[in-house]
Amino acid sequence: MPPTNNVQGADDTGGPQAWFQSLPLVTRYWFGAALITTCAGNFGFVSPMKLIYVWDNIWENFEIWRFLTPFLFVGKFDFNTLMALYMLQSFSQRYETEPYNTGAGGGTADYAFALMFGTVGIFLSFPLIGMLIPTPPMFARTLMFFVLYTWSKRHPTSPASIWGIQLKAIHLPFAYVILSVLMGGMYSDLVHGIVVGHLFYFLVDVVPIVYGKDMLHTPQFLIDKLGVGAYVAPAATTGGGGGAVGNNTWQPPGRANPPADPARPARGHGWGSGGQRLGSD
């Protein structure tokens, strides 16, 4: 598996809680929700059949939670599920620290927007993919491979490894697909995530360079909520001031770490990434 980057400010000696709190904001919520949902489905708190995507149940019974839970329920407990949870945390953390800049400086808001694009793209393309190859109605691994593929295009020369074999990040998604095929495992959901990820990469990186048009832009409400650049919660206040209640000390909108790639006006080559930028790691 690819080595996990250390997160600045993480307390390596503080135990699981400190490690969990050190995760980037979106990764923390996604990984935490996936862990809780997967445990709930395996320990009998809720039937796994209530967590998967079934359009008829959504349409006829108004089970709208099925729009969310397929991206959180990884599957029954086995080695593959444990590895999928690890990969979800690892690759989400890697990409969230430096995503494509779609208007928020390559920060947290841009990553949240990428996940929104991925979820909508997976929903819309699922019927088509399902007609071509059997695909499970659980999308956690699909969205994970969307993130993995997008990260591999954003940082194509970053070092990675799979079962001790060293390779570049650009080859990692396909290596996992080949490994799944050789081991007789499910691979259609991995391919599904790669297809949606390639569409996102094409619209974000190729179209602005080749056609001079910016097709995707992070919504303003995400920028207002999460700011420009990486969202960082301030240290807990010790006194009664600061407007915080207990430990609820979220960073006000717009205040964040300065981004490495500042947001630019959305026109032409407004993101300032480009092909050369991808290989700069």
Side-chain angles (χ1 to χ4, degrees), residues 145-186:
F145 263 75
F146 165 84
V147 172
L148 169 58
Y149 182 84
T150 307
W151 170 77
S152 73
K153 301 298 285 187
R154 182 74 173 90
H155 306 282
T157 60
S158 293
S161 65
I162 179 171
W163 296 108
I165 301 176
Q166 299 296 318
L167 67 166
K168 294 182 179 179
I170 193 66
H171 303 130
L172 191 60
F174 305 101
Y176 275 117
V177 172
I178 293 173
L179 183 63
S180 295
V181 172
L182 294 177
M183 296 180 65
M186 178 66 68

Side-chain angles (χ1 to χ4, degrees), residues 134-229:
T135 307
M138 300 185 302
F139 304 139
R141 293 209 316 166
T142 308
L143 188 61
M144 180 188 70
F145 263 75
F146 165 84
V147 172
L148 169 58
Y149 182 84
T150 307
W151 170 77
S152 73
K153 301 298 285 187
R154 182 74 173 90
H155 306 282
T157 60
S158 293
S161 65
I162 179 171
W163 296 108
I165 301 176
Q166 299 296 318
L167 67 166
K168 294 182 179 179
I170 193 66
H171 303 130
L172 191 60
F174 305 101
Y176 275 117
V177 172
I178 293 173
L179 183 63
S180 295
V181 172
L182 294 177
M183 296 180 65
M186 178 66 68
Y187 65 89
S188 56
D189 51 348
L190 313 187
V191 174
H192 189 189
I194 289 174
V195 169
V196 179
H198 187 74
L199 175 62
F200 181 77
Y201 155 73
F202 181 80
L203 294 176
V204 164
D205 200 54
V206 176
V207 171
I209 295 173
V210 177
Y211 301 102
K213 298 180 179 180
D214 292 340
M215 302 295 293
L216 298 179
H217 306 283
T218 300
Q220 188 60 43
F221 77 89
L222 288 177
I223 299 176
D224 292 340
K225 182 66 175 178
L226 301 174
V228 175

Side-chain angles (χ1 to χ4, degrees), residues 2 14-15 39 42 47 60 67 74 82 92 104 106 122-123 135 143 163 172 178 185-186 197 210 229 265 267:
C39 289
N42 279 275
S47 171
E60 297 174 3
F67 283 122
V74 180
L82 295 178
S92 177
I122 290 168
F123 272 130
T135 307
L143 188 61
W163 296 108
L172 191 60
I178 293 173
M186 178 66 68
V210 177
R267 65 175 185 271

Side-chain angles (χ1 to χ4, degrees), residues 6 13 20 54 62 84 91-92 140-141 184 186 220 244 264 266 277:
N6 289 328
T13 63
F20 181 76
V54 181
F62 201 62
F91 293 124
S92 177
R141 293 209 316 166
M186 178 66 68
Q220 188 60 43
R264 301 185 176 94
R277 174 73 179 175

